[in-house]
């Protein structure tokens, strides 16, 4: 139980940092002001976790009462604003941060749902929700179709990570090994999907509308 | 109490199936990938119920822990993808499915709120929310103004269904009769509104912006 | 404790009225029907409070079970629809209503979180959320980038109001004085920001996209 809690904490704060950076960059590219950048960074970093906490009954959501989450997100936002000319040269590292956040949150989200004694389905769905929820909120707030619905394998990678955690806990395999396996698998899936443009099938019919996308993403 | 629970379960799963089909079709028309179609189908089918459950304190939301909801939504999504060329010829039946989902969810949502001992206002507002919430989430995620705010009588039909349930329970009329009356009334209102293009008054002033709608819906 | 509760109630209903008017006007300008206007008015007025209540564990949210909130919002919506030709000449008063709602909700939201024994961070974040949440939902439903992310000081004014409440409660200063100070400060900040076009810095980089704004707001 103790080890469980520690692993969950470390993964969750690391994921918060990674996602806050990706949120701050997206907000900056849209020309939002300082407050907007901070708010979007916090939303991307903590939004998925807040939805998860509401659904599992962890009141108040950890992102709202534990100062470390807010501090981590603000630090990431300030770093992004301060070092933007440096950050913008790092296209690849930014995607890596996002991929890292995705993997860490899928795993930490599933662990937390299990910690609150919910069943496998809740742990899998909310692990995935923790991982993708912040990004969906970001896209809704920035007024575009959430990128996860139309891009390379993304939520599906989180799904795989969450399933590994739930299966590992079911068979009572050691937490550290299960976490590392789940993170590695989720990260690799997303990484190679980006690199080789793997996509899920689209089934475009003749009368499909084309998505009025926003150009970015 | 037992009868209550059974009625609620049957209505709720039937509504889930009907709404998942309408969600899958909308997602497919926007050109989303397989995961996107499944996710939107699940969101439309279970989103309203999840918001209702969070508001009445039913933690975790039934859409997340009861496998029958996920299975029903996925079955509907797969059927829609597999039989799309067949489904697209069924314009009218699709609207019927949506209307059926609306009626079933308005009634089951109100029953569930009463089952959790909430008052009439909560039961009416959340019955309506169960019925229209999934569709609102679908439209927000697909980046358009929710259709319920600008089309033929829709949420108002759900409102009528929810009120019938609450009034019926207040006078302790038999559940089966109350449910059937509420469903029939809601269904008919929406059906005839579609057929004869009934709309609520708009009060267009001279400086009203026209809605920058998305063409579909 | 009693005084606390009374102050909270009065501020909260006054804020509900102010925000419902601003919501009804926005919905009317977009050409929504009667139901849409009522629904958006209620959402702007009660949406932020409902999110706050879910996060602090106040189930069901007060906006859903206390008829005074619904009645206040509907009254404001009807007034707006009935007296629209009169209201539209009042550009300045409308902004004043919105600014009043912002100040009242920032203060009442923070008080309520403290009343439920949450810590300072929760009270500050959720005070701000109560104040801006309804407006964010309005903009998301009307399909535009939330105005708070790109306009004159808005959420930051609410933040200041919430901080004053939390600091005042920490030092156990009298509730009435703390509330009045917080409301005055928040109101003045927003008022002068509007009047003199104060904005937070934007840090526009050379590759910033320009925001595809909606023209209004």
């Amino acid at each position: 139980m103790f080890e469980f809690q520690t692993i969950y904490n470390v993964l969750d704060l690391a994921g918060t940092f990674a996602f806050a950076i990706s949120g701050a960059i997206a907000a900056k590219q849209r020309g939002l002001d300082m407050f907007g950048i901070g708010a979007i960074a916090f939303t991307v970093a903590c939004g998925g976790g807040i939805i998860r906490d509401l659904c599992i009954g962890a009141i108040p959501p950890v992102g709202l009462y534990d100062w470390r989450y807010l501090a981590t997100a603000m630090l990431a936002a300030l770093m992004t604003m301060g070092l933007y000319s440096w950050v913008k040269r790092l296209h690849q590292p930014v995607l890596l941060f996002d991929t890292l956040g995705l993997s860490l949150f899928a795993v930490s989200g599933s662990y937390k749902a299990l910690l609150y004694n919910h069943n496998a389905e809740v742990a899998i769905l909310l692990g995935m929700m923790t991982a993708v929820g912040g990004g969906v909120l970001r896209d809704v707030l920035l007024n575009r179709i959430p990128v996860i619905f139309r891009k390379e394998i993304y939520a599906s990678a989180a799904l795989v990570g969450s399933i590994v955690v739930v299966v590992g806990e079911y068979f009572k395999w050691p937490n550290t090994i299960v976490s590392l396996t789940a993170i590695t698998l989720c990260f690799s899936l997303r990484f190679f999907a980006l690199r080789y443009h793997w996509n899920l099938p689209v089934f475009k019919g003749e009368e499909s509308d084309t998505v009025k996308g926003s150009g970015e993403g």
Side-chain angles (χ1 to χ4, degrees), chain A residues 153-174:
Chain A
I153 286 162
Y154 189 86
S156 353
L159 183 63
V160 169
S162 294
I163 289 174
V164 169
V165 168
V166 169
V167 170
E169 284 304 311
Y170 181 78
F171 290 111
K172 303 206 182 309
W173 294 330

Side-chain angles (χ1 to χ4, degrees), chain A residues 17 43-44 54 61 71 73 87 98 105 113 124 163-166 173-174 178 194 206 208:
Chain A
F17 188 78
T43 302
V44 177
L54 291 178
V87 164
D98 188 71
F105 271 1
I124 291 172
I163 289 174
V164 169
V165 168
V166 169
W173 294 330
V178 170
L194 272 175
E206 57 265 61
S208 289

Side-chain angles (χ1 to χ4, degrees), chain A residues 39-197:
Chain A
I40 296 279
F42 181 73
T43 302
V44 177
C46 298
I50 289 174
I51 297 175
R52 173 202 62 208
D53 284 356
L54 291 178
C55 289
I56 62 175
I59 301 294
V62 69
L64 296 179
Y65 80 80
D66 187 333
W67 64 271
R68 293 175 302 172
Y69 289 85
L70 183 61
T72 302
M74 290 306 105
L75 181 70
L78 286 174
M79 274 182 53
T80 307
M81 287 187 275
L83 308 171
Y84 191 67
S85 63
W86 182 78
V87 164
K88 76 182 177 189
R89 264 172 288 152
L90 300 174
H91 179 66
Q92 206 61 16
V94 165
L95 280 177
L96 288 188
F97 269 115
D98 188 71
T99 307
L100 198 58
L102 184 81
S103 319
L104 296 167
F105 271 1
V107 173
S108 73
S110 293
Y111 269 127
K112 186 161 187 182
L114 293 174
L115 209 56
Y116 273 72
N117 294 316
H118 292 298
N119 69 15
E121 183 185 340
V122 174
I124 291 172
L125 289 177
L126 290 180
M128 189 168 64
M129 168 58 86
T130 310
V132 307
V136 170
L137 288 175
R138 173 198 64 210
D139 291 343
V140 165
L141 291 176
L142 297 180
N143 200 15
R144 55 194 191 191
I145 294 188
V147 91
I148 66 157
F149 292 137
R150 49 197 183 85
K151 277 237 309 207
E152 300 90 357
I153 286 162
Y154 189 86
S156 353
L159 183 63
V160 169
S162 294
I163 289 174
V164 169
V165 168
V166 169
V167 170
E169 284 304 311
Y170 181 78
F171 290 111
K172 303 206 182 309
W173 294 330
N175 295 149
T176 325
I177 294 174
V178 170
S179 303
L180 280 178
T181 312
I183 293 169
T184 311
L185 207 57
C186 172
F187 187 92
S188 315
L189 258 174
R190 171 71 181 143
F191 182 81
F192 288 114
L194 272 175
R195 194 165 187 85
Y196 299 111
H197 299 287

Side-chain angles (χ1 to χ4, degrees), chain A residues 17-42:
Chain A
F17 188 78
F19 267 142
I21 288 185
S22 93
I25 293 174
K28 199 165 164 9
Q29 286 174 338
R30 279 277 174 134
L32 303 197
D33 67 19
M34 269 179 66
F35 177 84
I37 294 176
I40 296 279
F42 181 73

